[in-house]
Amino acid sequence: MGAALGAGEALGVLGARRGGSGATEMATVGELLNLGTGRLRAAGSESPRLDAELLLGWAIRADRTALVAHSEAPVGADATAAYEEAVSRREAGEPVAYIRGLKEFYGLAFAVDARALIPRPETELLVAEAERDVAWRLTSAPRPAGTPKVRVVDVGTGSGAIAIALATLLRRRRMLPEVSILTVDCAADALSLARENAVAHAVADEVVFAEADLVPPSEPPFDLILANLPYIPSGEIERLPVAASFEPRTALDGGPAGLDVIRRLLAALPDALAPQGTALLEIGFDQGAAVERAVGELPAAWTCRIRADLSGRPRLAVVERARA
Ligand SMILES: C[S@@+](CC[C@H](N)C(=O)[O-])C[C@H]1O[C@@H](n2cnc3c(N)ncnc32)[C@H](O)[C@@H]1O
């Protein structure tokens, strides 16, 4: 390889350059990372180096550790071209996860594309609470033969991240046979992605999919309702980072105050939730008080506890019937 690229050196494509003989040389990993980082920084990315590493790693099918360890390695023409296209898409604001077609959630790799919201790290709290709740239901009292399965529904499943992560955790604990999991979304596109992810994680036989508005009325009540429904106020959507404009609006838009869909689900709880059931609802970090008020306005008596995430921000509403 020749020396590292100097400032102002002419580039044909992102990484290929002309050597002294006129032959095209291959750029190294380190050179491509520096070039991509510079372009993404100029385009306004908040994490240009990380983006460049993820995109180059995807293009050459290597993890980030390998990129650091082999910064002098030359990159072939096809991979350089794929990286070039990926950097251009990222410059236009497309999320890295959509470009790679992949997002890690709860230690699992999920396929992601414009059919559904990219699962967010803050939603892992909901999965952890759901696992704890199911385990408690299965272990806190004897379960003689014939005891019905614990019924769980993931409302607004999107990529299927919540339901599939939960199913995977329960399978590891050998609890999955005692649990039924329904996933619901009003968007057929999202459901098709969720099905693909369930197949990829080998839980497609354990998870049932339904296209419906919130909880299908034909379903018997659930022990556990999980929901990460849209909760962004409509007026704030245009102010979100440009990456969000690539995600489906139905996954984000919660109406004027952000709580339209969550309020409708709260109103459905008396029929949808079993007497000892629990609803775990992800909420915006500034919506705790509003959700508590919304629960207080329900006709019957319900309790609402707000749980904070690891950074102390309110993230989860735990809603149950008030005990007499
Ligand atoms: C914020 S995304 C969450 C996706 C996924 N659960 C996650 O956590 O990554 C909300 C999802 O709810 C779905 N949704 C919105 N309104 C709905 C409704 N009334 N009934 C069912 N699903 C709905 C959207 O299509 C979208 O997939």
Side-chain angles (χ1 to χ4, degrees):
M1 284 305 302
L5 284 174
E9 188 165 350
L11 294 173
V13 292
L14 185 77
R17 58 194 146 89
R18 297 273 164 200
S21 65
T24 302
E25 296 177 23
M26 287 185 287
T28 65
V29 163
E31 289 167 347
L32 290 179
L33 283 179
N34 289 340
L35 282 161
T37 302
R39 275 175 56 174
L40 296 177
R41 182 177 293 114
S45 165
E46 288 173 1
S47 51
R49 182 74 186 184
L50 175 63
D51 291 1
E53 287 177 0
L54 289 169
L55 294 175
L56 185 57
W58 164 80
I60 64 175
R61 294 179 173 72
D63 64 24
R64 288 171 55 210
T65 318
L67 297 185
V68 174
H70 301 287
S71 66
E72 293 303 313
V75 178
D78 289 351
T80 298
Y83 176 61
E84 154 79 14
E85 194 201 331
V87 170
S88 299
R89 286 169 65 181
R90 182 71 192 115
E91 280 180 314
E94 189 169 349
V96 169
Y98 281 167
I99 299 169
R100 300 169 77 220
L102 192 71
K103 177 72 182 178
E104 187 185 276
F105 177 79
Y106 223 101
L108 301 169
F110 283 87
V112 289
D113 58 36
R115 286 176 287 176
L117 186 100
I118 299 164
R120 306 291 205 265
E122 52 266 31
T123 304
E124 294 182 356
L125 175 65
L126 196 157
V127 175
E129 289 297 318
E131 183 196 10
R132 198 196 326 252
D133 182 287
V134 171
W136 177 80
R137 287 176 194 279
L138 290 176
T139 57
S140 60
R143 293 180 60 78
T147 305
K149 292 185 177 191
V150 173
R151 286 174 52 74
V152 180
V153 61
D154 172 18
V155 188
T157 197
S159 64
I162 294 171
I164 293 166
L166 178 64
T168 305
L169 291 167
L170 294 175
R171 182 175 53 199
R172 276 187 212 145
R173 297 179 70 167
R174 301 179 193 283
M175 290 177 167
L176 195 50
E178 291 186 81
V179 180
S180 77
I181 303 180
L182 174 71
T183 62
V184 180
D185 208 290
C186 60
D189 272 3
L191 278 176
S192 68
L193 179 61
R195 272 196 200 92
E196 289 166 23
N197 277 314
V199 169
H201 290 287
V203 292
D205 290 339
E206 282 81 10
V207 177
V208 175
F209 301 87
E211 185 181 339
D213 177 28
L214 301 177
V215 184
S218 56
E219 286 287 333
F222 289 90
D223 299 297
L224 187 57
I225 295 180
L226 312 175
N228 177 18
L229 288 163
Y231 55 70
I232 312 279
S234 310
E236 287 181 20
I237 300 227
E238 305 312 322
R239 293 197 288 276
L240 292 175
V242 64
S245 68
F246 288 80
E247 297 183 290
R249 183 140 187 150
T250 45
L252 301 169
D253 194 342
L259 292 178
D260 282 7
V261 194
I262 287 178
R263 279 181 183 278
R264 286 207 297 118
L265 180 62
L266 290 175
L269 289 185
D271 293 327
L273 201 59
Q276 308 297 322
T278 301
L280 300 177
L281 317 181
E282 181 168 319
I283 57 171
F285 68 89
D286 54 356
Q287 292 175 330
V291 171
E292 281 178 320
R293 275 198 303 279
V295 172
E297 287 162 17
L298 293 173
W302 292 78
T303 64
C304 177
R305 284 172 288 132
I306 302 296
R307 299 284 316 274
D309 63 17
L310 288 176
S311 58
R313 295 177 132 195
R315 268 294 166 198
L316 198 60
V318 184
V319 183
E320 296 172 323
R321 283 184 175 80
R323 308 266 180 257

